[in-house]
Amino acid sequence: MSSRHQLFRVFYGVGFTPWDGHPLAQSLRRLIEGEPALTPGTALDVGCGTGDNSIYLAQQGWRVTGVDYVAKAVDKARAKAAARAVDVRFVQVDATRLSTSGIGDGFDLIVDSGCLHGMSAEDRDAYVREVTAVAAPNARLSIVAFIPGGSFGVPGISESEVESRFAGAWTLLSSGSEPAMDHNGKDPARFYLFERTGSA
């Protein structure tokens, strides 16, 4: 088990989850509700935490699978969805093993709001491979990630690294600062919207 896994299990175990309760990313809302809005289909929420993005997507008509490697997070997400009478499939799965986890493939939309930016370089390699493997042709991939130094305790990931890691199998459609994760007038996070267009 990686130190990343252990750390988040400890955080959830003691109830220290400062990433919960933040507003949904404005970039995700624009993608789902803007003009033109995506037609609802199947969505995968990678690193779903306690399920806020998954629940939002389901409320907008998407068939959603939310995955997280921390069992307590998945349990909380299931309880939250049940309390809101929203149908979401939540599964305890590591983002570096999506294609062998049994969650299926052919997802039209893949959402990551805070998963990739906390990974090691080796895990990022596996993440890109696995996300690509479960994406439908022409799928959209929405990522929100802290830049290096953007948040205490999170390694962050640079704009150039995100773009280079997804080059080839994905085409970058848009990117920019993510105001929903603003800290005291700073822009510590960026959003990226990709389309699955190339070959793996």
Side-chain angles (χ1 to χ4, degrees), residues 24-94:
L24 291 176
Q26 291 182 22
S27 55
L28 180 60
R29 284 193 181 276
R30 283 196 304 269
L31 182 63
I32 302 304
E33 300 180 56
E35 292 293 338
L38 287 182
T39 301
T42 56
L44 175 65
D45 184 6
V46 182
C48 66
T50 61
D52 290 340
N53 283 341
S54 296
I55 291 168
Y56 164 72
L57 289 168
Q59 289 170 333
Q60 301 299 316
W62 290 80
R63 298 184 305 282
V64 186
T65 298
V67 298
D68 202 288
Y69 58 81
V70 179
K72 192 160 189 176
V74 172
D75 289 343
K76 287 186 173 184
R78 288 174 179 153
K80 191 183 290 186
R84 299 180 189 180
V86 176
D87 184 21
V88 179
R89 177 175 65 148
F90 289 109
V91 188
Q92 184 183 0
V93 170
D94 191 306

Side-chain angles (χ1 to χ4, degrees), residues 5-43:
H5 289 70
Q6 293 171 333
L7 182 63
F8 277 91
R9 285 194 171 121
V10 169
F11 284 164
Y12 275 106
V14 299
F16 177 70
T17 54
W19 50 87
D20 273 347
H22 291 288
L24 291 176
Q26 291 182 22
S27 55
L28 180 60
R29 284 193 181 276
R30 283 196 304 269
L31 182 63
I32 302 304
E33 300 180 56
E35 292 293 338
L38 287 182
T39 301
T42 56

Side-chain angles (χ1 to χ4, degrees), residues 46-178:
V46 182
C48 66
T50 61
D52 290 340
N53 283 341
S54 296
I55 291 168
Y56 164 72
L57 289 168
Q59 289 170 333
Q60 301 299 316
W62 290 80
R63 298 184 305 282
V64 186
T65 298
V67 298
D68 202 288
Y69 58 81
V70 179
K72 192 160 189 176
V74 172
D75 289 343
K76 287 186 173 184
R78 288 174 179 153
K80 191 183 290 186
R84 299 180 189 180
V86 176
D87 184 21
V88 179
R89 177 175 65 148
F90 289 109
V91 188
Q92 184 183 0
V93 170
D94 191 306
T96 65
R97 297 181 175 89
L98 297 173
S99 65
T100 58
S101 67
I103 61 167
D105 56 18
F107 289 99
D108 301 306
L109 172 65
I110 299 174
V111 174
D112 169 356
S113 194
C115 184
L116 176 63
H117 66 200
M119 291 181 159
S120 66
E122 182 180 351
D123 281 350
R124 288 174 184 180
D125 290 341
Y127 171 101
V128 173
R129 181 190 69 236
E130 294 297 298
V131 162
T132 302
V134 300
N138 302 314
R140 300 295 171 91
L141 169 62
S142 172
I143 297 174
V144 175
F146 282 120
I147 62 173
S151 180
F152 178 76
V154 177
I157 187 167
S158 69
E159 181 179 3
S160 60
E161 182 179 349
V162 174
E163 292 181 9
S164 66
R165 283 188 175 277
F166 287 95
W170 297 84
T171 297
L172 181 65
L173 300 180
S174 61
S175 66
S177 63
E178 178 49 65

